[in-house]
Amino acid sequence: MTTAATALPLLSLRITAGPVELRGITDDLLGPIADLALDIHDPDFMPFFGPWSLSPSRDMARVVAQYYWGLRASFSQDKWNADFAVFYEGELVGCQGFSTRDYLILRSGETGSWLARKFQGKGIGTAMRQVICAFLVDHVDAKHITSAAFADNPASLAVSRKTGYTDNGSEPFNRMGKLATLRRIALDPANLVRYQHELTVAGLPEFRTSIGLD
Ligand SMILES: CC(C)(COP(=O)(O)OP(=O)(O)OC[C@H]1O[C@@H](n2cnc3c(N)ncnc32)[C@H](O)[C@@H]1OP(=O)(O)O)[C@@H](O)C(=O)NCCC(=O)NCCS
């Protein structure tokens, strides 16, 4: 039967590793993701490039849905994002993303992630990053993975370090009208620290075809 996942195989991609499951973001997950996004960090701290996470609660569902709908609408082999809802022991906890440009040439892209505050500091952020990086390296032929975090975000930088990323420079950044330092980090697949559980991937052949690999 033809479904939305026929049009966009990312929607039915599922990566499972022990208690961690990454699922393509279908419409039924947008509301629950928006609910979680209402409490990611203190209002006086901004871990993201843009302040979407400070959206008023009445706007959050629209902000979240439009973001993912926009990524779906612009998905192409030249520029695609693979964003996942993250489940831990069956409970939705946050999101993990990977964004690319010219992937067929570069085999490179950037990871980004967040957890609702109540799920932070329990090792889940490290687990989900190790899982997506293993997926990218082992199943999608990634050769170079980057990420970035503000210098005042030690949890994100620690997750990167624990996944095998190393420093790749820093730059000034205009964060909500104030100077911040953005630290760039990069992962050579040879340095990947793997999660303790093996990955199982459902929907891979269709996804690989959709990004032009097969
Ligand atoms: C960043 C984030 C995804 C990390 O996930 P997490 O589950 O909280 O992280 P983990 O529990 O796996 O690991 C956090 C590590 O950071 C370390 N850490 C946390 N706060 C720290 C601090 N203030 N100083 C030094 N290290 C710190 C922890 O000690 C831990 O390392 P350890 O296990 O070696 O002790 C999560 O905290 C989050 O969503 N934060 C808000 C959004 C965000 O910052 N997203 C990333 C944008 S770049």
Side-chain angles (χ1 to χ4, degrees):
M1 192 180 72
T2 303
T3 66
T6 312
L8 192 66
L10 171 65
L11 295 176
S12 59
L13 195 56
R14 282 192 185 205
I15 305 160
T16 312
V20 176
E21 185 179 35
L22 308 186
R23 288 190 207 163
I25 299 178
T26 44
D27 275 353
D28 57 308
L29 295 173
L30 294 173
I33 288 171
D35 288 343
L36 284 188
L38 290 172
D39 188 22
I40 302 176
H41 56 80
D42 285 336
D44 58 357
F45 173 63
M46 179 42 66
F48 303 117
F49 292 161
W52 69 272
S53 50
L54 297 181
S55 302
S57 56
R58 68 175 179 279
D59 295 340
M60 188 61 89
R62 178 182 51 78
V63 167
V64 165
Q66 285 182 323
Y67 176 70
Y68 292 114
W69 288 335
L71 292 178
R72 289 183 203 170
S74 62
F75 189 103
S76 75
Q77 290 181 5
D78 293 339
K79 188 174 181 301
W80 54 266
N81 278 37
D83 281 273
F84 300 93
V86 179
F87 291 77
Y88 192 82
E89 293 177 339
E91 186 170 19
L92 181 67
V93 294
C95 290
Q96 175 69 63
F98 179 66
S99 78
T100 74
R101 198 178 271 267
D102 298 328
Y103 189 77
L104 291 176
I105 309 284
L106 304 177
R107 302 293 161 109
S108 172
E110 178 128 334
T111 52
S113 59
W114 59 266
L115 291 167
R117 195 200 307 246
K118 63 182 170 182
F119 299 112
Q120 295 172 13
K122 303 171 194 285
I124 301 174
T126 304
M128 65 203 224
R129 186 91 72 85
Q130 292 177 345
V131 168
I132 192 153
C133 288
F135 166 72
L136 295 167
V137 169
D138 294 346
H139 299 281
V140 195
D141 311 344
K143 301 283 184 243
H144 187 69
I145 300 171
T146 60
S147 192
F150 291 112
D152 58 6
N153 191 348
S156 180
L157 292 164
V159 165
S160 295
R161 195 179 59 248
K162 290 164 69 180
T163 304
Y165 295 62
T166 53
D167 285 345
N168 195 24
S170 62
E171 59 194 73
F173 191 95
N174 175 356
R175 181 171 55 176
M176 299 175 70
K178 292 194 178 138
L179 177 64
T181 300
L182 185 67
R183 288 184 47 188
R184 297 212 171 266
I185 47 220
L187 176 67
D188 175 339
N191 296 332
L192 171 62
V193 179
R194 289 171 182 282
Y195 190 41
Q196 56 190 296
H197 298 279
E198 289 288 312
L199 272 60
T200 306
V201 183
L204 183 63
E206 297 83 357
F207 179 68
R208 283 183 58 95
T209 302
S210 76
I211 58 173
L213 284 177
D214 300 320

